[in-house]
Amino acid sequence: SQHDFDFTFMGLVGLVDPPRVGVAAAIKECHAAGIRIIMMTGDHPTTAQAIGRQVGLSYRPDVITGTEAAQLSDEALKLRLRQVDLCARLQPEQKLRLVDILQSDGEIVAMTGDGVNDAPALKTADVGIAMGERGTDVARESADLVLLDDSFASIVVAIRQGRHIYDNITSAIRFIFAVHVPVIALALLPALLNWPILLWPLHIVLLELIIDPSCSMVFEAEPEAENIMSRPPRPISDTPFTLSILKGGVIQGMGVAVILLGGYGLLVGEGFLEEQGRTTVFIALISSVLLLLLASRDATHSITTSLFRKNSWLLGIIVVVALMLVFSLEVPALRDAMGLKEATVLELGAALTMIGLVFIWLEVLRRTRVIRTY
């Protein structure tokens, strides 16, 4: 009871700590991307439920409390966690235990936190993310990443960028394998079959001058896929060198190699001279490199569609390749050094036929979904 003072009731003061702007949208984006979010808090269960509904994290009525978690075995808690998104009244060691249980259930866990009590869980999680503005020193030092703006939305932006980078690396690796299969075949098999040598060292150098900038500039500048945040996370075992990724590139390249070698064999049988055959195959090979580049950008779209998709470096690469091909055929000194001849209608017609077959081959692979997109 109050004493010694007279008090007059004037009203009540309410305090609220609202969710940051953009959190609800970021959580919705996570759900669309197959990313599950679990709240682990020391607050009251009713508070956790209210915040969960506000930001769209969970509409399930169930909450796991620290008291309940302490009474459950690891296996029982693992089953319970599959059905519940809100955990309240947790102690630091209980947050750590929940992270361990999620990892043992095959989950890749990213943990966010700002307090001393979050440090053990931040350290144990696959990716610990601390708040840089209001986070404690212990939390920041325990984490793998520190958010400079303390915004949950920044985590989602980082996930989007990570998927974008991974897609571009995968496309580049697939292109590298696809483009080198016909180069190796055209350099090796004519010698084994006692045919005239097709590719000289100078040809291979010129090809690498096309291939390397394509990987380092075109694929790096690729825009993100339309479905980048509406598809599930990739398996942890996936890498850009996964067999299913490399297989697609090798199959693309093998088809190109068969078309070019088969075409060359027919030309030799029809009486084409060595320089005629080399010129025809060289034109077809350079053009096939560009077709493989377009096909590797996005296996879900046709080559013609890929040609007009925005990329700041693509047009420049195409122009440089076209000029390189023209100079190789039209500059006498360069043409002689490469063992080529001035292309006539006959060679151009044969090369266009091969290029058309390569185009059809790559489109067939796309339509039959032989190439994995992610």
Side-chain angles (χ1 to χ4, degrees), residues 252-274:
Q252 284 179 323
M254 288 177 63
V256 174
V258 169
I259 291 169
L260 298 187
L261 281 171
Y264 180 65
L266 290 175
L267 296 178
V268 171
E270 291 295 321
F272 266 55
L273 299 177
E274 179 179 339

Side-chain angles (χ1 to χ4, degrees), residues 4 41 77 94 107 200 213 222 283 361 374:
D4 298 332
T41 179
L77 188 54
Q94 291 173 328
E107 302 289 352
W200 295 355
E222 272 297 282
I283 295 171
W361 167 248
Y374 61 87

Side-chain angles (χ1 to χ4, degrees), residues 92-137:
E93 63 273 15
Q94 291 173 328
K95 292 182 180 182
L96 174 61
R97 184 189 175 202
L98 290 175
V99 169
D100 285 333
I101 288 174
L102 287 168
Q103 289 175 322
S104 69
D105 201 23
E107 302 289 352
I108 305 302
V109 182
M111 169 77 185
T112 68
D114 58 7
V116 174
N117 59 343
D118 297 317
L122 287 170
K123 188 69 175 177
T124 301
D126 295 286
V127 184
I129 306 171
M131 304 300 168
E133 288 183 340
R134 67 174 184 271
T136 60
D137 290 341

Side-chain angles (χ1 to χ4, degrees), residues 223-284:
E224 64 184 36
E226 298 168 358
N227 67 338
I228 197 165
M229 290 300 283
S230 61
R231 67 194 191 206
R234 62 181 175 86
I236 189 62
S237 58
D238 266 14
T239 75
F241 295 94
T242 301
L243 181 60
S244 57
I245 298 290
L246 301 183
K247 179 181 68 177
V250 172
I251 292 174
Q252 284 179 323
M254 288 177 63
V256 174
V258 169
I259 291 169
L260 298 187
L261 281 171
Y264 180 65
L266 290 175
L267 296 178
V268 171
E270 291 295 321
F272 266 55
L273 299 177
E274 179 179 339
E275 289 184 345
Q276 283 181 293
R278 184 180 296 114
T279 301
T280 303
V281 172
F282 183 72
I283 295 171

Side-chain angles (χ1 to χ4, degrees), residues 93-341:
E93 63 273 15
Q94 291 173 328
K95 292 182 180 182
L96 174 61
R97 184 189 175 202
L98 290 175
V99 169
D100 285 333
I101 288 174
L102 287 168
Q103 289 175 322
S104 69
D105 201 23
E107 302 289 352
I108 305 302
V109 182
M111 169 77 185
T112 68
D114 58 7
V116 174
N117 59 343
D118 297 317
L122 287 170
K123 188 69 175 177
T124 301
D126 295 286
V127 184
I129 306 171
M131 304 300 168
E133 288 183 340
R134 67 174 184 271
T136 60
D137 290 341
V138 173
R140 288 197 296 267
E141 292 178 10
S142 301
D144 302 294
L145 301 174
V146 178
L147 296 180
L148 299 180
D149 59 0
D150 286 11
S151 173
F152 181 83
S154 295
I155 300 173
V156 183
V157 171
I159 292 171
R160 175 185 287 273
Q161 290 177 342
R163 289 186 174 194
H164 184 194
I165 292 169
Y166 183 84
D167 283 355
N168 290 355
I169 292 174
T170 300
S171 297
I173 295 297
R174 183 168 55 234
F175 170 71
I176 288 173
F177 274 78
V179 79
H180 280 96
V181 169
V183 172
I184 293 170
L186 291 172
L188 182 63
L189 290 181
L192 298 177
L193 298 173
N194 290 321
W195 291 354
I197 300 300
L198 277 174
L199 294 184
W200 295 355
L202 184 56
H203 300 141
I204 295 175
V205 170
L206 287 176
L207 285 167
E208 292 301 327
L209 289 176
I210 301 170
I211 295 168
D212 290 349
S214 298
C215 294
S216 60
M217 293 188 292
V218 174
F219 287 107
E220 185 178 345
E222 272 297 282
E224 64 184 36
E226 298 168 358
N227 67 338
I228 197 165
M229 290 300 283
S230 61
R231 67 194 191 206
R234 62 181 175 86
I236 189 62
S237 58
D238 266 14
T239 75
F241 295 94
T242 301
L243 181 60
S244 57
I245 298 290
L246 301 183
K247 179 181 68 177
V250 172
I251 292 174
Q252 284 179 323
M254 288 177 63
V256 174
V258 169
I259 291 169
L260 298 187
L261 281 171
Y264 180 65
L266 290 175
L267 296 178
V268 171
E270 291 295 321
F272 266 55
L273 299 177
E274 179 179 339
E275 289 184 345
Q276 283 181 293
R278 184 180 296 114
T279 301
T280 303
V281 172
F282 183 72
I283 295 171
L285 178 58
I286 294 294
S287 303
S288 297
V289 170
L290 290 178
L291 290 177
L292 286 169
L293 174 62
L294 295 172
S296 298
R297 290 183 66 199
D298 184 357
T300 61
H301 292 86
S302 68
I303 291 174
T304 51
T305 302
S306 179
L307 180 61
F308 295 102
R309 285 183 65 224
K310 182 180 179 182
N311 186 301
S312 56
W313 284 100
L314 181 62
L315 180 60
I317 291 292
I318 293 175
V319 170
V320 169
V321 172
L323 291 174
M324 184 185 297
L325 184 57
V326 170
F327 287 150
S328 300
L329 297 174
E330 298 300 326
V331 177
L334 186 57
R335 186 173 63 224
D336 294 341
M338 297 178 66
L340 305 176
K341 69 177 291 292

